[in-house]
Structure formats: structure tokens, C-alpha cells
Amino acid sequence: RRTVRRGRARRPVAGAPGARKGARRGGVAGSRDVGAGGGQVARVFSLDADGTDYPAVGERDPKSGRLLEALPGLRPLNFTSPYETAAWGVTSQRVSMRQAASVKARMIAEHGEALKVGGGEVRCFPRPEKLLEIASVPGLPAEKVERLHGVARAALNGLLDCDRLRALGDDGGPASVRVIPGIGPFWASGIYLRGCGIQDVFPDEPISIAALGRLHGLGDQLSPEQMPRLPEPHSPFRMLVRSLLWVPV
């Protein structure tokens, strides 16, 4: 379930996976634009780029290669859109993931649009227009509600358009969303990397860097000389390898 952008308008779209005659198939509700919906689903599952050369990463970096062998085919699961990434970034700040997930589920249940797909009914995250109408959310401070309104306005103004962010690049994309109240460096990067499904950037954040350092026996702190040298053999799949570092093997 997700919200797909159409020009300046957004509409909720739901998809249900399935299989038929040995091939993956799926149903879509909420839009007849299968190309746009399929492209977004591919980004969510990191399937929108050719992964034929992905195993070659293990040849260039044998330490990462052992992870690829232990976790074959594993790719990062991204957020459904930059808009929902930003909303989650605001909602989840300074609270437990369980509490933030409960608040999000409540907003979806009370304000999300229902769609029927795959023999069942699902609800999507509220559209920006609907989010602006929400005056209060149980469990969410008034300041966060106002910041969610800022996220909604940014989405309606095109600031959180995936194609726009990708076109701005690895520096310009994250920088452009820092104007949204409540979005700092961490979630600006998250909106770009995990909202747009970027695959060839290694995130500049402590947990990923520490995991990379431990993989190479260098400890939790890497020097400026070691970064970005260590992830270089992973290109053009640096974000995919980063996702492997987070999985206990």
C-alpha cells in the first residue's frame, strides 16, 4: 500500500503479490498506470536496477563476498516514497519504534483510504491533502503534528518528488529537503536513500560505518582516509552491501 504521485496530485495505490505459471504476478488497485505503480514497487524492493553484476562485488571484496554467499539475493527494503519516509522521520523522532509504528497505524486506520486488492482490504497512509486536515493525533505532540503538516505541504509543492530528488543527486537531493521543519541530516539522507531507492551510496552514519569497520577488522571508527575507500569495491551496489552489514550472520 502506498501513495503514488501524479503530477501535483497523489492517489493511494495498493498492490498484492502472487505467482502464476512460475512467474511473479501481482494485482494493483487505485490506478490504471501499471508502469508508474510497477516502477515504484521495484524501487521499494530494490529491483529497479540490473543486478547481474552484483556477485562480482564479492570477487573485488572477499569479506563482503562471504556476506553475499550467506545472504544470497537479499536486497534492502525501502520506504514506499520520499513523502512517507519524511512522515516517518517526523513521527519516529525521540520515541521507540514500537510507539511510532502504533501512531502510524492509527493514522492509517482513521485517515487512510481503503482499497480492495488481492481478495482483501488495505488502507494507505493518508494523502498530503488529508494529512493537512488532521488537527491532532493521539500519542503525538502538537509540534509533531505541525511538522507533519509541513511534510504534507512539501509533498504537494513537489519537494518530495522522487524523480526530482534523484535528478538533484547525492548532495543536492538530501540538501533540498532540509528546509522541511523537523528534517535534519539523518532523515534528509534517509528520504533520499531509502525513499528514492538509491543503490550506489554508502550512508554517512555511525551504525553503518561501524559495521563496515568491524567487517574489515578495523573497529567501530574509520578514518577519513578509510572512508570512502572501503566501500568503493561495492560500487554500483554500495547501498545493497550496506543492508547486508545490518543482518547477523
Side-chain angles (χ1 to χ4, degrees):
R1 61 194 184 193
R2 53 193 51 84
T3 304
V4 174
R5 187 169 188 264
R6 295 286 181 272
R8 287 297 177 90
R10 289 177 179 268
R11 63 177 62 183
V13 173
R20 185 175 62 189
K21 296 182 179 180
R24 300 298 296 174
R25 295 288 188 270
V28 176
S31 174
R32 294 183 179 180
D33 190 343
V34 177
Q40 187 166 2
V41 170
R43 284 197 300 273
V44 171
F45 291 99
S46 297
L47 296 173
D48 57 328
D50 187 355
T52 303
D53 295 330
Y54 188 29
V57 169
E59 300 173 7
R60 297 192 293 270
D61 179 8
K63 293 184 183 296
S64 296
R66 289 195 287 271
L67 290 178
L68 268 70
E69 291 177 0
L71 302 164
L74 182 66
R75 296 192 180 205
L77 180 65
N78 295 304
F79 283 90
T80 56
S81 68
Y83 162 59
E84 292 190 42
T85 313
W88 175 254
V90 167
T91 304
S92 63
Q93 288 178 22
R94 298 183 178 87
V95 298
S96 69
M97 294 298 99
R98 184 174 183 177
Q99 182 179 350
S102 177
V103 170
K104 179 180 178 181
R106 186 180 298 116
M107 285 194 292
I108 290 173
E110 296 179 359
H111 305 287
E113 185 170 332
L115 294 172
K116 294 185 181 296
V117 63
E121 182 179 275
V122 297
R123 287 185 175 272
C124 300
F125 190 78
R127 292 179 294 167
E129 299 90 341
K130 185 65 177 179
L131 195 58
L132 282 171
E133 297 174 359
I134 300 174
S136 64
V137 178
L140 208 60
E143 181 182 19
K144 284 192 175 182
V145 175
E146 181 55 37
R147 288 180 174 181
L148 283 176
H149 290 170
V151 169
R153 284 188 286 268
L156 292 172
N157 291 333
L159 189 62
L160 292 170
D161 178 69
C162 181
D163 292 337
R164 171 189 173 276
L165 293 174
R166 282 189 163 197
L168 289 173
D170 300 340
D171 294 323
S176 72
V177 298
R178 289 286 305 276
V179 300
I180 303 173
I183 299 299
F186 179 84
W187 277 110
S189 176
I191 290 168
Y192 176 69
L193 294 178
R194 298 195 60 207
C196 297
I198 304 300
Q199 296 193 13
D200 195 27
V201 173
F202 193 90
D204 183 17
E205 55 90 14
I207 297 178
S208 296
I209 292 173
L212 182 65
R214 288 193 295 268
L215 177 69
H216 289 273
L218 299 172
D220 292 349
Q221 303 292 327
L222 296 179
S223 68
E225 291 74 24
Q226 292 166 326
M227 286 294 295
R229 178 176 57 83
L230 285 178
E232 190 59 36
H234 307 158
S235 184
F237 304 104
R238 282 176 282 191
M239 192 66 179
L240 272 62
V241 174
R242 173 265 188 191
S243 70
L244 302 181
L245 297 172
W246 283 52
V247 181
V249 179

